[in-house]
Structure formats: C-alpha cells, structure tokens
Amino acid sequence: MSQETNRSLSDKFSAICRRAAEGDPVARAVKTITEALLEGRISEEQLRQISEVSKQEGVGAAYSLFIDFYKQSQPEEAS
C-alpha cells in the first residue's frame, strides 16, 4: 500500500473513532468490527459477509452477524 493510501485509511479510521467517541452508534459498530478484523477475531471473508448483510438487511442485522462470528472466535470456557 502506498503512503497516501495508508494516510487516507488512517484518517478515515480516526474520523470513525471520533464519531464513535461522540456516541454515533454506527461509528461505534464500524470501529468495533474494524478492531476485531485487525485483531484477527474475524476473517476478511466474514467481513465481506457482514458487508453484504448490511447492504441487504441493514446495520442491525450486520452487527448481529458480527457478534455471531466474534463469539465463534472466543475459546471455549472450561466447565
């Protein structure tokens, strides 16, 4: 990735973080999903699926799918 692209993405993510801090629920969801991707909690394919659900069914359905994917990434707790 070029430095210009990196800077642009960084600026966009910073803007999302600011909006999330201000209480914007969509920005908070995007920030959470982005962080999960960066941490390896969800895959790029799962992100694509979340994006498609968002386009077809809305943000609420997409976030619900994200939660399902995120829970799958958590280690099983010992009984």
Side-chain angles (χ1 to χ4, degrees):
M1 238 186 282
S2 72
Q3 280 187 319
E4 186 176 318
T5 301
N6 283 341
R7 192 171 315 119
S8 175
L9 290 173
S10 178
D11 290 346
K12 288 178 183 179
F13 188 65
S14 293
I16 288 169
C17 290
R18 277 192 302 278
R19 287 180 29 220
E22 293 168 355
D24 180 333
V26 173
R28 289 174 57 195
V30 169
K31 180 180 180 276
T32 301
I33 291 169
T34 302
E35 289 172 340
L37 178 67
L38 294 172
E39 293 170 358
R41 301 279 185 181
I42 63 171
S43 68
E44 288 183 35
E45 178 56 33
Q46 289 171 323
L47 180 61
R48 284 185 194 92
Q49 291 175 23
I50 292 167
S51 177
E52 285 302 312
V53 167
S54 179
K55 290 175 191 172
Q56 295 172 4
E57 299 176 34
V59 175
Y63 199 68
S64 179
L65 180 60
F66 161 72
I67 295 297
D68 291 343
F69 287 150
Y70 191 84
K71 285 179 182 177
Q72 291 173 9
S73 75
Q74 300 300 307
E76 294 280 333
E77 292 188 7
S79 299

